[in-house]
Amino acid sequence: MAASPVTDTFEVKIQIQETCNILTSSDIVFDATIPTPGTVEQEGEIVVECTNGTPYSLSLDEGASGNRHMAGPSSHEIAYELYQDSARTAVWGMAADGLDVTGEGDGLGNAYRIVHDVYAVATLVGDEEAGDYSDVVTATLTF
């Protein structure tokens, strides 16, 4: 006959997987303007979250136009550029070109969201036809 109590041990485990998400990306909408030669500026943002310690890269493509031009009426276009910094000196593009933004996740949930501001500049030449102009940019988050 065995004496009591009898004991045993067991482990409690969990595996945390790396993940990243683009939570939101805001449209960049320039104010209505008269087509005077020069530039106009506007901002948007992309909000991401990644598992704590997970390195990531955030790239922006050249838009549906393939050359960062907003299409408008009668095949008119307005050129624009997207930047990583408020001084609008660091172009934001693809990782293959070394123009992506890199970072490291802090965790998942509201307290750990990472906001990346996107700074845009549109260049007007003065002969733009009245109407709406647009392009669609794809943001890619790689981890």
mmCIF file of all heavy atoms in Angstrom, residues 86-126:
data_model
loop_
_atom_site.group_PDB
_atom_site.id
_atom_site.type_symbol
_atom_site.label_atom_id
_atom_site.label_comp_id
_atom_site.label_asym_id
_atom_site.label_seq_id
_atom_site.Cartn_x
_atom_site.Cartn_y
_atom_site.Cartn_z
ATOM 1 N N SER A 86 8.116 65.413 -41.827
ATOM 2 C CA SER A 86 7.371 66.668 -41.959
ATOM 3 C C SER A 86 8.119 67.699 -42.799
ATOM 4 O O SER A 86 7.501 68.596 -43.374
ATOM 5 C CB SER A 86 7.043 67.254 -40.578
ATOM 6 O OG SER A 86 8.235 67.515 -39.860
ATOM 7 N N ALA A 87 9.445 67.577 -42.906
ATOM 8 C CA ALA A 87 10.222 68.480 -43.762
ATOM 9 C C ALA A 87 10.039 68.132 -45.242
ATOM 10 O O ALA A 87 10.451 68.887 -46.116
ATOM 11 C CB ALA A 87 11.700 68.425 -43.391
ATOM 12 N N ARG A 88 9.424 66.970 -45.490
ATOM 13 C CA ARG A 88 9.150 66.490 -46.848
ATOM 14 C C ARG A 88 10.438 66.369 -47.673
ATOM 15 O O ARG A 88 10.530 66.844 -48.793
ATOM 16 C CB ARG A 88 8.098 67.370 -47.518
ATOM 17 C CG ARG A 88 6.734 67.218 -46.848
ATOM 18 C CD ARG A 88 5.754 68.295 -47.222
ATOM 19 N NE ARG A 88 4.418 68.060 -46.725
ATOM 20 C CZ ARG A 88 4.010 68.322 -45.475
ATOM 21 N NH1 ARG A 88 4.846 68.787 -44.579
ATOM 22 N NH2 ARG A 88 2.754 68.102 -45.126
ATOM 23 N N THR A 89 11.399 65.677 -47.061
ATOM 24 C CA THR A 89 12.670 65.433 -47.747
ATOM 25 C C THR A 89 12.925 63.952 -47.989
ATOM 26 O O THR A 89 13.624 63.608 -48.924
ATOM 27 C CB THR A 89 13.862 66.017 -46.944
ATOM 28 O OG1 THR A 89 13.870 65.448 -45.636
ATOM 29 C CG2 THR A 89 13.762 67.531 -46.854
ATOM 30 N N ALA A 90 12.369 63.067 -47.145
ATOM 31 C CA ALA A 90 12.581 61.627 -47.280
ATOM 32 C C ALA A 90 11.369 60.995 -47.971
ATOM 33 O O ALA A 90 10.318 60.800 -47.359
ATOM 34 C CB ALA A 90 12.819 60.985 -45.921
ATOM 35 N N VAL A 91 11.519 60.675 -49.260
ATOM 36 C CA VAL A 91 10.424 60.064 -50.030
ATOM 37 C C VAL A 91 10.069 58.717 -49.411
ATOM 38 O O VAL A 91 10.933 57.967 -48.967
ATOM 39 C CB VAL A 91 10.835 59.897 -51.511
ATOM 40 C CG1 VAL A 91 9.795 59.096 -52.284
ATOM 41 C CG2 VAL A 91 11.039 61.266 -52.150
ATOM 42 N N TRP A 92 8.779 58.415 -49.414
ATOM 43 C CA TRP A 92 8.295 57.135 -48.881
ATOM 44 C C TRP A 92 7.911 56.269 -50.064
ATOM 45 O O TRP A 92 7.045 56.622 -50.863
ATOM 46 C CB TRP A 92 7.090 57.368 -47.998
ATOM 47 C CG TRP A 92 6.751 56.226 -47.094
ATOM 48 C CD1 TRP A 92 7.064 54.909 -47.248
ATOM 49 C CD2 TRP A 92 6.023 56.315 -45.876
ATOM 50 N NE1 TRP A 92 6.587 54.184 -46.218
ATOM 51 C CE2 TRP A 92 5.939 55.017 -45.350
ATOM 52 C CE3 TRP A 92 5.430 57.353 -45.193
ATOM 53 C CZ2 TRP A 92 5.278 54.733 -44.160
ATOM 54 C CZ3 TRP A 92 4.769 57.079 -44.012
ATOM 55 C CH2 TRP A 92 4.699 55.788 -43.494
ATOM 56 N N GLY A 93 8.572 55.128 -50.170
ATOM 57 C CA GLY A 93 8.317 54.223 -51.283
ATOM 58 C C GLY A 93 8.402 52.778 -50.864
ATOM 59 O O GLY A 93 7.963 52.399 -49.779
ATOM 60 N N MET A 94 9.041 51.979 -51.717
ATOM 61 C CA MET A 94 9.108 50.535 -51.538
ATOM 62 C C MET A 94 10.401 50.110 -50.858
ATOM 63 O O MET A 94 11.440 50.758 -50.995
ATOM 64 C CB MET A 94 8.987 49.844 -52.892
ATOM 65 C CG MET A 94 7.695 50.166 -53.641
ATOM 66 S SD MET A 94 6.204 49.636 -52.771
ATOM 67 C CE MET A 94 6.374 47.871 -52.876
ATOM 68 N N ALA A 95 10.342 48.974 -50.160
ATOM 69 C CA ALA A 95 11.517 48.422 -49.477
ATOM 70 C C ALA A 95 12.627 48.107 -50.479
ATOM 71 O O ALA A 95 13.806 48.314 -50.186
ATOM 72 C CB ALA A 95 11.133 47.176 -48.689
ATOM 73 N N ALA A 96 12.249 47.620 -51.660
ATOM 74 C CA ALA A 96 13.244 47.258 -52.672
ATOM 75 C C ALA A 96 14.103 48.454 -53.070
ATOM 76 O O ALA A 96 15.247 48.294 -53.482
ATOM 77 C CB ALA A 96 12.553 46.665 -53.899
ATOM 78 N N ASP A 97 13.548 49.643 -52.928
ATOM 79 C CA ASP A 97 14.274 50.869 -53.264
ATOM 80 C C ASP A 97 14.913 51.512 -52.033
ATOM 81 O O ASP A 97 15.503 52.587 -52.133
ATOM 82 C CB ASP A 97 13.318 51.880 -53.910
ATOM 83 C CG ASP A 97 12.662 51.335 -55.167
ATOM 84 O OD1 ASP A 97 13.338 50.609 -55.921
ATOM 85 O OD2 ASP A 97 11.473 51.616 -55.378
ATOM 86 N N GLY A 98 14.749 50.898 -50.865
ATOM 87 C CA GLY A 98 15.274 51.468 -49.630
ATOM 88 C C GLY A 98 14.503 52.677 -49.157
ATOM 89 O O GLY A 98 15.010 53.490 -48.391
ATOM 90 N N LEU A 99 13.248 52.809 -49.595
ATOM 91 C CA LEU A 99 12.443 53.985 -49.255
ATOM 92 C C LEU A 99 11.298 53.654 -48.307
ATOM 93 O O LEU A 99 10.353 54.432 -48.166
ATOM 94 C CB LEU A 99 11.894 54.628 -50.536
ATOM 95 C CG LEU A 99 12.944 55.088 -51.553
ATOM 96 C CD1 LEU A 99 12.270 55.588 -52.822
ATOM 97 C CD2 LEU A 99 13.846 56.145 -50.950
ATOM 98 N N ASP A 100 11.383 52.506 -47.653
ATOM 99 C CA ASP A 100 10.352 52.096 -46.709
ATOM 100 C C ASP A 100 10.636 52.667 -45.321
ATOM 101 O O ASP A 100 11.696 53.233 -45.072
ATOM 102 C CB ASP A 100 10.285 50.570 -46.637
ATOM 103 C CG ASP A 100 11.626 49.938 -46.249
ATOM 104 O OD1 ASP A 100 12.685 50.491 -46.605
ATOM 105 O OD2 ASP A 100 11.617 48.894 -45.589
ATOM 106 N N VAL A 101 9.659 52.538 -44.448
ATOM 107 C CA VAL A 101 9.821 52.921 -43.053
ATOM 108 C C VAL A 101 9.917 51.634 -42.247
ATOM 109 O O VAL A 101 9.128 50.711 -42.453
ATOM 110 C CB VAL A 101 8.621 53.765 -42.569
ATOM 111 C CG1 VAL A 101 8.650 53.954 -41.071
ATOM 112 C CG2 VAL A 101 8.601 55.108 -43.278
ATOM 113 N N THR A 102 10.889 51.565 -41.349
ATOM 114 C CA THR A 102 11.046 50.368 -40.537
ATOM 115 C C THR A 102 10.779 50.700 -39.080
ATOM 116 O O THR A 102 10.881 51.853 -38.655
ATOM 117 C CB THR A 102 12.452 49.762 -40.685
ATOM 118 O OG1 THR A 102 13.423 50.731 -40.291
ATOM 119 C CG2 THR A 102 12.713 49.336 -42.121
ATOM 120 N N GLY A 103 10.425 49.686 -38.330
ATOM 121 C CA GLY A 103 10.171 49.867 -36.910
ATOM 122 C C GLY A 103 10.139 48.532 -36.208
ATOM 123 O O GLY A 103 10.428 47.487 -36.799
ATOM 124 N N GLU A 104 9.768 48.588 -34.952
ATOM 125 C CA GLU A 104 9.652 47.382 -34.134
ATOM 126 C C GLU A 104 8.398 47.497 -33.304
ATOM 127 O O GLU A 104 8.132 48.540 -32.696
ATOM 128 C CB GLU A 104 10.875 47.238 -33.239
ATOM 129 C CG GLU A 104 10.895 45.945 -32.461
ATOM 130 C CD GLU A 104 12.187 45.753 -31.698
ATOM 131 O OE1 GLU A 104 13.225 45.533 -32.343
ATOM 132 O OE2 GLU A 104 12.143 45.837 -30.455
ATOM 133 N N GLY A 105 7.618 46.418 -33.287
ATOM 134 C CA GLY A 105 6.363 46.417 -32.559
ATOM 135 C C GLY A 105 6.543 46.547 -31.067
ATOM 136 O O GLY A 105 7.557 46.117 -30.505
ATOM 137 N N ASP A 106 5.532 47.152 -30.423
ATOM 138 C CA ASP A 106 5.518 47.324 -28.972
ATOM 139 C C ASP A 106 4.517 46.394 -28.301
ATOM 140 O O ASP A 106 4.506 46.256 -27.092
ATOM 141 C CB ASP A 106 5.156 48.765 -28.618
ATOM 142 C CG ASP A 106 6.214 49.756 -29.058
ATOM 143 O OD1 ASP A 106 7.404 49.415 -29.037
ATOM 144 O OD2 ASP A 106 5.840 50.886 -29.425
ATOM 145 N N GLY A 107 3.619 45.793 -29.103
ATOM 146 C CA GLY A 107 2.578 44.931 -28.562
ATOM 147 C C GLY A 107 1.273 45.160 -29.302
ATOM 148 O O GLY A 107 1.197 45.986 -30.210
ATOM 149 N N LEU A 108 0.255 44.412 -28.926
ATOM 150 C CA LEU A 108 -1.049 44.506 -29.572
ATOM 151 C C LEU A 108 -2.044 45.173 -28.625
ATOM 152 O O LEU A 108 -2.000 44.965 -27.422
ATOM 153 C CB LEU A 108 -1.549 43.119 -29.963
ATOM 154 C CG LEU A 108 -0.603 42.302 -30.857
ATOM 155 C CD1 LEU A 108 -1.207 40.944 -31.169
ATOM 156 C CD2 LEU A 108 -0.273 43.040 -32.138
ATOM 157 N N GLY A 109 -2.928 45.968 -29.191
ATOM 158 C CA GLY A 109 -3.938 46.661 -28.395
ATOM 159 C C GLY A 109 -3.745 48.166 -28.475
ATOM 160 O O GLY A 109 -2.721 48.667 -28.937
ATOM 161 N N ASN A 110 -4.748 48.886 -28.026
ATOM 162 C CA ASN A 110 -4.775 50.354 -28.139
ATOM 163 C C ASN A 110 -3.527 51.034 -27.594
ATOM 164 O O ASN A 110 -3.056 52.015 -28.153
ATOM 165 C CB ASN A 110 -6.002 50.923 -27.425
ATOM 166 C CG ASN A 110 -7.285 50.631 -28.167
ATOM 167 O OD1 ASN A 110 -7.271 50.325 -29.354
ATOM 168 N ND2 ASN A 110 -8.400 50.700 -27.466
ATOM 169 N N ALA A 111 -2.990 50.551 -26.503
ATOM 170 C CA ALA A 111 -1.843 51.205 -25.863
ATOM 171 C C ALA A 111 -0.557 51.059 -26.675
ATOM 172 O O ALA A 111 0.415 51.764 -26.416
ATOM 173 C CB ALA A 111 -1.628 50.630 -24.461
ATOM 174 N N TYR A 112 -0.545 50.155 -27.655
ATOM 175 C CA TYR A 112 0.692 49.845 -28.376
ATOM 176 C C TYR A 112 0.653 50.217 -29.851
ATOM 177 O O TYR A 112 1.537 49.846 -30.612
ATOM 178 C CB TYR A 112 1.013 48.357 -28.218
ATOM 179 C CG TYR A 112 1.053 47.950 -26.774
ATOM 180 C CD1 TYR A 112 0.031 47.191 -26.214
ATOM 181 C CD2 TYR A 112 2.088 48.369 -25.954
ATOM 182 C CE1 TYR A 112 0.053 46.834 -24.877
ATOM 183 C CE2 TYR A 112 2.123 48.022 -24.614
ATOM 184 C CZ TYR A 112 1.111 47.252 -24.086
ATOM 185 O OH TYR A 112 1.141 46.920 -22.760
ATOM 186 N N ARG A 113 -0.359 50.926 -30.253
ATOM 187 C CA ARG A 113 -0.477 51.333 -31.650
ATOM 188 C C ARG A 113 0.648 52.284 -32.020
ATOM 189 O O ARG A 113 1.034 53.152 -31.235
ATOM 190 C CB ARG A 113 -1.818 51.992 -31.904
ATOM 191 C CG ARG A 113 -2.948 51.007 -31.770
ATOM 192 C CD ARG A 113 -4.284 51.634 -31.972
ATOM 193 N NE ARG A 113 -5.293 50.578 -31.993
ATOM 194 C CZ ARG A 113 -6.553 50.786 -32.232
ATOM 195 N NH1 ARG A 113 -6.989 51.998 -32.468
ATOM 196 N NH2 ARG A 113 -7.390 49.777 -32.242
ATOM 197 N N ILE A 114 1.146 52.132 -33.247
ATOM 198 C CA ILE A 114 2.220 52.987 -33.752
ATOM 199 C C ILE A 114 1.657 53.783 -34.925
ATOM 200 O O ILE A 114 1.171 53.206 -35.898
ATOM 201 C CB ILE A 114 3.436 52.155 -34.195
ATOM 202 C CG1 ILE A 114 3.941 51.317 -33.014
ATOM 203 C CG2 ILE A 114 4.536 53.048 -34.746
ATOM 204 C CD1 ILE A 114 4.945 50.252 -33.387
ATOM 205 N N VAL A 115 1.708 55.104 -34.808
ATOM 206 C CA VAL A 115 1.168 55.985 -35.845
ATOM 207 C C VAL A 115 2.306 56.465 -36.731
ATOM 208 O O VAL A 115 3.290 57.020 -36.244
ATOM 209 C CB VAL A 115 0.439 57.197 -35.221
ATOM 210 C CG1 VAL A 115 -0.061 58.140 -36.307
ATOM 211 C CG2 VAL A 115 -0.709 56.721 -34.335
ATOM 212 N N HIS A 116 2.169 56.229 -38.029
ATOM 213 C CA HIS A 116 3.125 56.731 -39.016
ATOM 214 C C HIS A 116 2.424 57.825 -39.823
ATOM 215 O O HIS A 116 1.447 57.552 -40.527
ATOM 216 C CB HIS A 116 3.589 55.610 -39.956
ATOM 217 C CG HIS A 116 4.412 54.575 -39.272
ATOM 218 N ND1 HIS A 116 5.731 54.757 -38.975
ATOM 219 C CD2 HIS A 116 4.088 53.334 -38.820
ATOM 220 C CE1 HIS A 116 6.208 53.680 -38.377
ATOM 221 N NE2 HIS A 116 5.225 52.806 -38.263
ATOM 222 N N ASP A 117 2.904 59.044 -39.701
ATOM 223 C CA ASP A 117 2.349 60.144 -40.484
ATOM 224 C C ASP A 117 2.849 60.049 -41.917
ATOM 225 O O ASP A 117 4.006 59.694 -42.164
ATOM 226 C CB ASP A 117 2.756 61.488 -39.879
ATOM 227 C CG ASP A 117 2.110 61.722 -38.531
ATOM 228 O OD1 ASP A 117 0.913 61.420 -38.386
ATOM 229 O OD2 ASP A 117 2.796 62.205 -37.616
ATOM 230 N N VAL A 118 1.963 60.349 -42.850
ATOM 231 C CA VAL A 118 2.304 60.383 -44.276
ATOM 232 C C VAL A 118 2.134 61.830 -44.725
ATOM 233 O O VAL A 118 1.052 62.407 -44.589
ATOM 234 C CB VAL A 118 1.375 59.468 -45.106
ATOM 235 C CG1 VAL A 118 1.783 59.497 -46.570
ATOM 236 C CG2 VAL A 118 1.373 58.047 -44.560
ATOM 237 N N TYR A 119 3.201 62.410 -45.239
ATOM 238 C CA TYR A 119 3.198 63.811 -45.662
ATOM 239 C C TYR A 119 3.150 63.850 -47.185
ATOM 240 O O TYR A 119 3.994 63.242 -47.855
ATOM 241 C CB TYR A 119 4.448 64.515 -45.140
ATOM 242 C CG TYR A 119 4.540 64.465 -43.634
ATOM 243 C CD1 TYR A 119 5.247 63.456 -42.992
ATOM 244 C CD2 TYR A 119 3.888 65.409 -42.858
ATOM 245 C CE1 TYR A 119 5.313 63.394 -41.613
ATOM 246 C CE2 TYR A 119 3.949 65.357 -41.471
ATOM 247 C CZ TYR A 119 4.664 64.343 -40.854
ATOM 248 O OH TYR A 119 4.725 64.282 -39.489
ATOM 249 N N ALA A 120 2.162 64.562 -47.731
ATOM 250 C CA ALA A 120 1.957 64.594 -49.177
ATOM 251 C C ALA A 120 2.148 66.003 -49.726
ATOM 252 O O ALA A 120 1.810 66.994 -49.073
ATOM 253 C CB ALA A 120 0.553 64.105 -49.510
ATOM 254 N N VAL A 121 2.685 66.045 -50.945
ATOM 255 C CA VAL A 121 2.840 67.300 -51.675
ATOM 256 C C VAL A 121 2.329 67.079 -53.098
ATOM 257 O O VAL A 121 2.775 66.158 -53.786
ATOM 258 C CB VAL A 121 4.320 67.758 -51.724
ATOM 259 C CG1 VAL A 121 4.466 69.006 -52.572
ATOM 260 C CG2 VAL A 121 4.866 67.988 -50.328
ATOM 261 N N ALA A 122 1.378 67.895 -53.521
ATOM 262 C CA ALA A 122 0.894 67.873 -54.901
ATOM 263 C C ALA A 122 1.457 69.090 -55.616
ATOM 264 O O ALA A 122 1.529 70.181 -55.042
ATOM 265 C CB ALA A 122 -0.628 67.889 -54.949
ATOM 266 N N THR A 123 1.858 68.885 -56.862
ATOM 267 C CA THR A 123 2.455 69.972 -57.648
ATOM 268 C C THR A 123 1.485 70.397 -58.743
ATOM 269 O O THR A 123 1.114 69.601 -59.607
ATOM 270 C CB THR A 123 3.787 69.516 -58.274
ATOM 271 O OG1 THR A 123 4.660 69.089 -57.215
ATOM 272 C CG2 THR A 123 4.431 70.645 -59.053
ATOM 273 N N LEU A 124 1.080 71.655 -58.674
ATOM 274 C CA LEU A 124 0.178 72.226 -59.674
ATOM 275 C C LEU A 124 0.997 73.025 -60.682
ATOM 276 O O LEU A 124 1.926 73.739 -60.304
ATOM 277 C CB LEU A 124 -0.852 73.135 -59.009
ATOM 278 C CG LEU A 124 -1.713 72.480 -57.925
ATOM 279 C CD1 LEU A 124 -2.592 73.512 -57.243
ATOM 280 C CD2 LEU A 124 -2.542 71.358 -58.498
ATOM 281 N N VAL A 125 0.640 72.885 -61.962
ATOM 282 C CA VAL A 125 1.360 73.638 -62.993
ATOM 283 C C VAL A 125 0.565 74.847 -63.476
ATOM 284 O O VAL A 125 1.116 75.738 -64.113
ATOM 285 C CB VAL A 125 1.764 72.732 -64.182
ATOM 286 C CG1 VAL A 125 2.765 71.691 -63.741
ATOM 287 C CG2 VAL A 125 0.556 72.094 -64.820
ATOM 288 N N GLY A 126 -0.735 74.886 -63.196
ATOM 289 C CA GLY A 126 -1.545 76.045 -63.546
ATOM 290 C C GLY A 126 -2.561 75.803 -64.640
ATOM 291 O O GLY A 126 -3.490 76.586 -64.803
#
